[in-house]
Amino acid sequence: MTATLEQLRRCHFAVDLGAARTRVYVKGAGLVVDQPSAAAVNSRTGALIAVGEFAEKMTGRTPDYIRVVRPVSGGTVVDIEMAQRMLRQLLGDKIRRTLRRKPFLRAAVCTPHNPDPLARRAAMETLVGLGARRVELVDTLIAAAVGCGLPVEQPEASMIMVCGAASTEVAVLSLGNIVTAERVRVGGEAVDHAIVQHLRHEHELMLPSQSVRPLQLALSGNGLTPHGPASTEIHGRDVCTGLARSVQVDTAAVRNAIQTPLTVVLDSIGKVLRDCPPDLVADLADRGIMMVGGSALLPGFDQMLRQATGMPVYIAERPDVCAVQGLGTMLEGRIEPLELDPAT
């Protein structure tokens, strides 16, 4: 159950545990952690070697006894102990000492829409392991909507699409609540996988694990539309010989390769609109869709949605941190619930 604004005002810090990045907001200090959700572990001794950016850089470059793990998958904690160790290291001793001084430490955490009981329990136990005496759960959709400035507390429709690494969530909000929502397990990682498979099958080329996102950026600002560059040069390893090789990749073929995961996202938008009351759909025709999340920055994604839906589509000013900024706004008490005039 999503926490109330009054409960959130009593919290001391908030955590957004994402599949790609972990972010922590401390009341009065702002955003103190924004690092990849990765940890490097020595499998022989169990020692934690690195977390965050440094662990991310070690991916695919470590000896056999060092493995890079991701304790969060699809917005859900899959390894509670490792998630706790990662968060302790990311916060550092100074911030942890400050939080431990609180007499009754409270925390808030983002959860995907309609999480199962095990996912809720894992998120709560992760923060309890950091010393929190009480943990409030906040729907990522509501937190992101607050963070990007949508008037969620007003009696009018606001449509938001949270484009995460492992999933995409689409919802219509009104009066501070979710009217209808849809979650599909397709995100930025699915797009990356589609590109990797295309290059492997068509060009017999294997990409390093950290090269897919630069490939998407190489498609320029109109990457998913025909107005982008005709081709781009990609460096990788030949599947047969194992030697380094460069190929010229047709960007039109890349666009076709990623159509399948993007079509699933379009279908989820259509389902949400079909389930939404007609009066709210009329509001959305003018207000459009707000895109947040790291995958919202995929070049040309907003233009593709605009053409497919016929609705205005906007990208938040800082789409990657909207959820944690929304949590911070609620912790600091900068949002007020709608007050109804008493009947006379």
Side-chain angles (χ1 to χ4, degrees):
M1 184 175 179
T2 300
T4 64
L5 286 174
E6 185 59 35
Q7 290 171 325
L8 289 172
R9 288 193 186 101
R10 298 174 186 171
C11 293
H12 302 100
F13 72 104
V15 179
D16 177 18
L17 282 168
R21 299 185 74 87
T22 293
R23 299 177 176 92
V24 181
Y25 186 102
V26 175
K27 193 172 185 177
L31 185 63
V32 297
V33 173
D34 184 2
Q35 295 279 343
S37 303
V41 183
N42 187 325
S43 57
R44 295 174 181 171
T45 64
L48 192 64
I49 297 174
V51 296
E53 297 278 2
F54 191 33
E56 181 86 357
K57 292 178 181 177
M58 294 170 68
T59 303
R61 295 180 169 88
T62 61
D64 292 341
Y65 65 92
I66 296 177
R67 58 191 180 95
V68 178
V69 298
R70 294 185 177 274
V72 184
S73 176
T76 301
V77 178
V78 294
D79 188 338
I80 296 174
E81 181 185 356
M82 186 56 64
Q84 291 172 350
R85 295 175 68 185
M86 181 184 72
L87 278 171
R88 288 193 195 103
Q89 193 71 21
L90 290 174
L91 284 171
D93 293 336
K94 183 177 180 181
I95 297 175
R96 281 164 48 209
R97 280 197 301 268
T98 302
L99 293 175
R100 280 200 297 265
R101 295 193 189 105
K102 308 295 181 184
F104 192 88
L105 186 62
R106 293 172 180 257
V109 62
C110 280
T111 59
H113 182 62
N114 279 340
D116 59 74
L118 288 177
R120 288 198 296 266
R121 185 175 182 85
M124 295 175 70
E125 287 190 7
T126 299
L127 297 194
V128 167
L130 293 178
R133 302 287 297 277
R134 183 181 176 91
V135 179
E136 307 292 354
L137 302 180
V138 182
D139 198 303
T140 301
L141 290 163
I142 294 178
V146 172
C148 65
L150 291 178
V152 293
E153 73 282 0
Q154 299 299 318
E156 56 189 33
S158 298
M159 191 169 188
I160 187 166
M161 185 168 73
V162 180
C163 309
S167 64
T168 299
E169 298 177 89
V170 185
V172 175
L173 311 175
S174 181
L175 288 173
N177 283 291
I178 296 173
V179 178
T180 179
E182 185 74 12
R183 180 170 182 249
V184 293
R185 294 190 175 276
V186 172
E189 291 176 353
V191 176
D192 291 347
H193 182 72
I195 295 175
V196 168
Q197 292 301 310
H198 168 74
L199 293 176
R200 186 182 181 94
H201 293 153
E202 299 297 325
H203 299 278
E204 297 183 346
L205 193 73
M206 290 181 64
L207 288 181
S209 58
Q210 298 175 343
S211 294
V212 179
R213 192 63 56 173
L215 170 60
Q216 294 173 359
L217 297 178
L219 299 177
S220 85
N222 296 314
L224 300 182
T225 66
H227 306 294
S231 64
T232 184
E233 187 177 13
I234 304 300
H235 305 279
R237 189 179 70 181
D238 191 280
V239 173
C240 299
T241 66
L243 300 176
R245 185 162 63 91
S246 299
V247 296
Q248 284 290 331
V249 177
D250 182 10
T251 54
V254 175
R255 287 196 296 270
N256 291 333
I258 62 179
Q259 283 305 309
T260 299
L262 296 180
T263 300
V264 176
V265 175
L266 287 174
D267 291 343
S268 67
I269 295 175
K271 187 176 186 305
V272 168
L273 291 175
R274 287 193 299 272
D275 295 340
C276 190
D279 290 344
L280 294 181
V281 175
D283 290 345
L284 295 174
D286 298 326
R287 302 181 62 86
I289 305 171
M290 178 65 74
M291 296 176 64
V292 302
S295 298
L297 298 173
L298 183 64
F301 194 13
D302 56 330
Q303 296 182 38
M304 191 197 75
L305 292 179
R306 201 173 292 121
Q307 294 171 0
T309 62
M311 298 170 60
V313 178
Y314 309 97
I315 300 177
E317 184 176 351
R318 294 191 63 191
D320 51 339
V321 297
C322 281
V324 73
Q325 291 288 10
L327 284 175
T329 299
M330 292 184 277
L331 259 63
E332 304 283 3
R334 292 197 294 265
I335 181 171
E336 297 291 337
L338 178 67
E339 294 185 2
L340 302 178
D341 293 333
T344 55

